[in-house]
DNA sequence: TCCCAGGATCAAG
DNA sequence: CTTGATCATGGG
């Protein structure tokens, strides 16, 4: 077997602070379907500048002293394709985010968030590659388990996305374009993907994006409040889904999606158990943590899910 | 059979 | 502005 893998490394010097690749990718962030895992490598397939890439990442070392090994396949391989992939990876893993600054700013022992730092050091937010994909995945996640919305997303890709083949003999389906989903019907989406009542929302959003009634890129440029107002007008998009899209999709670090887990742990750690609405919890996170609200949410979420016995 | 899953919607209080 | 039933669907 002679597979023409390209390979290179991203050194720690190109990352701003620590990184725990495994924890980051496994943390089930709702911007895109979860990556596959092959041995010590995490694998994903994306189309970058119109060229399909299949890439595998593996981290060697510790969160504070490491390098990232990258292997990839693409139909074209010249010097610029490697550059395209490198900047893509740095973008989706948010390697420029100053994690040490995040830790230092909230390291006081009176700050409950600091409880999550020792175990989760190096955990980073991820940024979705495609805004439409991020919004659809966020919609699929509502009232659904992570495993299940991932299955649905995969079915959506298989039935409506383009198939791409690679030199190692494998093939994958890309996430579909809005227009290709918009051509479908509610019943067809349900029978093919089992997304249930979310089909109405998915179809609605796909049509609006395809018809240019909804400009997702504009939501990335405008402020938080304005973007939120527009998103809430979409059927099937509430505060939590909108925040997911803003955080994981557009990369708005002020957005802090509040689900049952976040609501539970914030109520416990910051409200002394006093009852509050989720909207109030979300506002609290934005006010208290500012540009680190999204990160605070990420750390508290993982902490709440893995260490619930400590806060029960 | 009932309950839950990283919620949203609609109708009432 | 808050609360409660309902919404497909699959798994425990």
């Amino acid at each position: 077997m002679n597979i023409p893998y390209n390979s290179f490394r991203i050194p720690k010097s190109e990352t701003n602070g620590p990184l725990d690749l495994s924890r980051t990718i496994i943390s089930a962030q709702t911007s895109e379907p979860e990556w596959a895992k092959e041995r010590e490598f995490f694998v994903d397939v994306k189309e970058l500048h119109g060229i399909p890439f299949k890439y595998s990442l593996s981290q060697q070392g510790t969160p504070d002293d490491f390098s990232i090994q990258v292997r990839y396949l693409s139909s074209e391989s010249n010097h610029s394709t490697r550059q395209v992939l490198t900047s893509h990876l740095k973008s989706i893993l948010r390697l420029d985010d100053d994690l040490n600054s995040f830790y230092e700013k909230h390291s006081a022992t009176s700050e409950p968030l600091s409880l999550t730092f020792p175990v989760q050091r190096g955990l980073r937010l991820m940024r979705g590659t495609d805004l439409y994909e991020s919004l659809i995945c966020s919609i699929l996640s509502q009232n659904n388990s992570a495993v299940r919305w991932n299955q649905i997303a995969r079915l959506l890709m298989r039935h409506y996305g383009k198939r791409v083949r690679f030199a190692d003999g494998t093939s994958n389906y890309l996430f579909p374009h809005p227009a290709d989903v918009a051509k479908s019907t509610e019943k067809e989406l349900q029978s093919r993907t089992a997304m249930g009542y979310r089909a109405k929302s998915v179809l609605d959003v796909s049509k609006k994006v395809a018809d240019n009634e909804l400009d997702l890129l504009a939501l990335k440029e405008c402020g938080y409040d304005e973007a939120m107002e527009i998103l809430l007008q979409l059927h099937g998009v509430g505060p939590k889904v909108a925040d997911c899209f803003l955080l994981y999709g557009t990369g708005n670090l002020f957005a802090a999606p509040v689900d049952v887990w976040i609501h539970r742990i914030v109520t416990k750690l910051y409200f002394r158990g006093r009852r509050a609405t989720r909207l109030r919890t979300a506002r609290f996170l934005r006010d208290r943590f500012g540009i680190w609200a999204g990160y605070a949410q990420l750390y508290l979420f993982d902490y709440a899910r893995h260490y619930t016995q400590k806060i029960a």
Side-chain angles (χ1 to χ4, degrees):
Chain A
M1 194 72 109
N2 208 349
I3 299 167
Y5 281 115
N6 301 285
S7 113
F8 62 96
R9 284 178 183 276
I10 299 177
K12 177 182 164 33
S13 57
E14 293 185 33
T15 302
N16 198 344
L19 168 69
D20 187 332
L21 181 71
S22 180
R23 193 175 276 274
T24 296
I25 291 181
I26 290 175
S27 62
Q29 308 179 25
T30 54
S31 56
E32 294 178 350
E34 197 168 312
W35 295 26
K37 176 120 196 229
E38 293 176 7
R39 297 203 176 92
E40 73 274 27
F41 284 91
F42 292 99
V43 186
D44 195 23
V45 171
K46 287 286 180 218
E47 197 173 47
L48 309 174
H49 299 278
I51 303 170
F53 282 80
K54 177 178 182 177
Y55 46 84
S56 312
L57 304 187
S58 170
Q59 180 177 28
Q60 276 89 41
T62 68
D64 289 285
D65 183 16
F66 64 87
S67 71
I68 308 170
Q69 185 183 353
V70 183
R71 299 195 315 195
Y72 72 97
L73 294 171
S74 75
S75 54
E76 303 177 22
S77 76
N78 48 49
H79 291 307
S80 74
T81 58
R82 173 172 157 176
Q83 205 52 42
V84 165
L85 180 58
T86 301
S87 73
H88 168 70
L89 294 175
K90 291 174 82 169
S91 168
I92 63 173
L93 294 173
R94 304 200 63 117
L95 298 184
D96 289 334
D97 290 348
D98 187 358
L99 268 195
N100 283 324
S101 169
F102 172 55
Y103 297 146
E104 286 165 17
K105 197 159 288 183
H106 308 97
S107 63
T109 52
S110 58
E111 171 53 69
L113 180 61
S114 66
L115 290 174
T116 70
F117 293 162
V119 242
Q120 317 213 133
R121 184 172 180 78
L123 171 62
R124 283 172 187 268
L125 281 169
M126 289 185 73
R127 188 190 335 247
T129 340
D130 179 71
L131 295 176
Y132 170 70
E133 178 176 3
S134 295
L135 183 51
I136 296 299
C137 286
S138 299
I139 289 173
L140 294 179
S141 73
Q142 68 123 312
N143 195 24
N144 219 343
S145 70
V147 175
R148 234 189 130 245
W149 77 252
N150 268 276
Q151 287 175 346
I152 295 170
R154 294 288 176 197
L155 286 169
L156 195 60
M157 294 161 75
R158 190 159 305 138
H159 286 284
Y160 299 94
K162 185 172 80 175
R163 186 176 190 178
V164 292
R165 300 167 192 282
F166 295 97
D168 61 353
T170 64
S171 69
N172 297 71
Y173 292 90
L174 300 174
F175 201 85
H177 295 291
D180 294 321
V181 177
K183 281 184 287 191
S184 184
T185 65
E186 220 173 302
K187 291 195 172 177
E188 188 184 74
L189 282 169
Q190 287 177 329
S191 65
R192 287 184 174 179
T193 72
M195 67 173 69
Y197 62 90
R198 303 169 193 85
K200 177 177 169 58
S201 313
V202 168
L203 194 57
D204 189 48
V205 164
S206 300
K207 283 180 177 173
K208 283 181 174 167
V209 174
D211 296 343
N212 286 322
E213 284 179 46
L214 176 62
D215 185 357
L216 295 180
L217 196 56
L219 296 178
K220 188 174 180 177
E221 311 301 333
C222 70
Y224 176 86
D225 291 329
E226 190 182 346
M228 177 59 78
E229 189 181 339
I230 294 171
L231 285 165
L232 290 181
Q233 290 172 1
L234 300 172
H235 183 273
V237 177
K240 192 267 178 181
V241 166
D243 272 329
C244 274
F245 169 73
L246 288 175
L247 179 60
Y248 300 117
T250 73
N252 188 327
L253 296 176
F254 288 94
V258 173
D259 56 60
V260 287
W261 295 96
I262 295 297
H263 189 61
R264 205 174 294 163
I265 196 169
V266 169
T267 301
K268 175 77 178 175
L269 296 179
Y270 292 92
F271 298 162
R272 299 180 180 178
R274 261 187 66 118
R275 289 190 52 175
T277 63
R278 288 198 196 181
L279 284 177
R280 176 157 144 53
T281 299
R283 204 177 320 135
F284 170 80
L285 290 172
R286 289 197 300 278
D287 290 344
R288 183 177 181 100
F289 298 107
I291 62 160
W292 296 111
Y295 267 99
Q297 177 272 157
L298 176 68
Y299 275 63
L300 289 171
F301 176 75
D302 234 42
Y303 185 78
R305 296 208 51 153
H306 294 323
Y307 306 96
T308 41
Q309 71 278 14
K310 291 184 183 174
I311 62 165

